[in-house]
Amino acid sequence: MDRRHFLHLLKASGALAALAPMSRAFAQLNGNASIISGFPAGGMGDNVARPLAEKLRGRYATNMLVDAKTGAGGRIAVEYVKRAAPDGLTILQIPSSPMTLYPNTYRKLNYDPIADFAPVTTTVNYAFVLTAGPGLPAEMKTVDDYLKWAKANPGQANYGVPAAGSALHFVGMMLQKASGTQLTAVAYRGGAPLLNDVLGGQVPVSVSVLGEVMPYIRAGKLRGLAVSSPQRSPFLPDVPTFAEQGFADIVVQEWLGWFLPARTPADVVQKLNALVREGLQSPEFIESLAKVGLQPVHQSPEEFARIVRADQQRWAPIVKAANFTAED
């Protein structure tokens, strides 16, 4: 897909509709700002944080650093930023699950996603893919095919997920409940070992982040059975959605969002929001995101706060129906 075609698809989907030009100039903060990620360097978050850090350096703060505080499914980073001074110099970059899913799955969290943070904006969103490897017979090409095979082969009806209790895990649980098919989740420690086992046939299917499996699906090494987004992904247009295949409730997308500690001055929150919005408009940045299956999305701080609350509320009945409680 060339750049012009991809930009056209983004505009048509409305993903860039909110990326209006920045209307005012801001003085930078004095000091070094840190973008704190909850996951290891080299992963999906770096594809967002590092280019944005370059664009914000010398405009938002004197210098922009990217630092990883890994562990506990992102909660260590969230707690670290919660304790930081509300001066705008410590920025949390986190996927939606620690802020919207975890409040429903953990009996106790050491942070309140609403009270302890000032939402800034989402930066990107991304879908999941039910992906089949050589462990599933080659003629199995749809969700229905997989479910029929799973019923006929209950001892092999496994699906891999990169982490227990993740949003990807819940996609599998939602499919099991909606179809009435007994499926067994196999939780891995991250997407890389899961991908290796799907490619090797040790697990027949996975629920994976789109960008991680996209090159292998395009190359014919893996098969995409369904995407979890509301519409087909522009990155894998030949892969139908779950909804198209009769599973209307399986519509799950995650966002990567930026937050500041609570009580950060409103003008600092607005400053960061506006500069991120400008950064997300760069055609080169949009093109680099497309290579890893990410779409830029921006909201005002107020809009983003509403999204966090709405997503928390949406997960509540799903978690209850699954009867799932996360363990530390």
Side-chain angles (χ1 to χ4, degrees), residues 7 23 28 38 49 55 64 72 79-80 83 101 117 159 170 181 195 200 203 205 213 232 244 252 281:
L7 291 175
S23 60
Q28 71 176 37
K55 294 180 182 300
M64 299 291 300
E79 293 171 19
Y80 178 87
R83 297 190 299 268
L101 177 58
F117 297 92
Y159 65 94
F170 273 92
T181 306
L195 177 60
V203 62
V205 302
V213 295
R232 294 195 184 198
E244 284 180 79
V252 179
Q281 290 178 298

Side-chain angles (χ1 to χ4, degrees), residues 130 142-152 157 159 170-184 205 242 245-250:
L130 182 64
T142 68
V143 176
D144 189 54
D145 289 342
Y146 166 61
L147 294 173
K148 288 178 180 177
W149 176 86
K151 289 176 181 178
Y159 65 94
F170 273 92
V171 168
M173 288 190 279
M174 292 164 74
L175 179 61
Q176 173 175 290
K177 183 175 180 61
S179 66
T181 306
Q182 182 60 46
L183 305 172
T184 301
V205 302
F242 280 100
Q245 299 180 72
F247 300 95
D249 291 335
I250 305 180

Side-chain angles (χ1 to χ4, degrees), residues 90-324:
T90 307
I91 303 162
L92 174 65
Q93 174 177 276
I94 202 74
S96 53
S97 285
M99 310 303 270
T100 63
L101 177 58
Y102 292 2
N104 293 294
T105 60
Y106 283 91
R107 290 189 175 93
K108 182 180 179 181
L109 287 176
N110 293 325
Y111 60 88
D112 184 321
I114 303 298
D116 293 332
F117 297 92
V120 178
T121 183
T122 57
T123 56
V124 297
N125 65 23
Y126 50 96
F128 305 143
V129 187
L130 182 64
T131 306
L136 188 71
E139 63 270 20
M140 306 287 111
K141 297 181 179 180
T142 68
V143 176
D144 189 54
D145 289 342
Y146 166 61
L147 294 173
K148 288 178 180 177
W149 176 86
K151 289 176 181 178
N153 299 273
Q156 303 175 58
N158 303 323
Y159 65 94
V161 294
S166 62
L168 299 101
H169 187 182
F170 273 92
V171 168
M173 288 190 279
M174 292 164 74
L175 179 61
Q176 173 175 290
K177 183 175 180 61
S179 66
T181 306
Q182 182 60 46
L183 305 172
T184 301
V186 181
Y188 287 74
R189 291 185 177 272
L194 170 58
L195 177 60
N196 287 337
D197 276 8
V198 176
L199 286 166
Q202 284 81 14
V203 62
V205 302
S206 69
V207 184
S208 297
V209 173
L210 185 148
E212 293 180 348
V213 295
M214 179 175 69
Y216 301 94
I217 293 174
R218 288 177 173 176
K221 296 180 179 180
L222 295 173
R223 283 160 283 152
L225 304 184
V227 293
S228 66
S229 46
Q231 296 85 32
R232 294 195 184 198
S233 168
F235 311 117
L236 293 173
D238 294 332
V239 179
T241 65
F242 280 100
E244 284 180 79
Q245 299 180 72
F247 300 95
D249 291 335
I250 305 180
V251 179
V252 179
Q253 284 193 135
E254 280 214 307
W255 40 256
L256 196 65
W258 281 24
F259 296 80
L260 289 166
R263 297 177 298 283
T264 300
D267 64 329
V268 175
V269 176
Q270 293 291 344
K271 173 196 297 187
L272 182 57
N273 178 284
L275 290 170
V276 169
R277 179 180 64 206
E278 185 179 89
L280 291 173
Q281 290 178 298
S282 164
E284 292 78 14
F285 189 25
I286 294 170
E287 186 175 14
S288 72
L289 293 174
K291 292 177 181 178
V292 289
L294 301 174
Q295 291 183 286
V297 180
H298 174 273
Q299 292 95 17
S300 70
E302 296 77 17
E303 291 169 330
F304 187 28
R306 287 194 290 270
I307 287 171
V308 173
R309 291 187 179 92
D311 286 355
Q312 279 191 18
Q313 293 168 2
R314 178 176 184 258
W315 275 119
I318 296 172
V319 172
K320 184 177 181 180
N323 194 28
F324 179 87

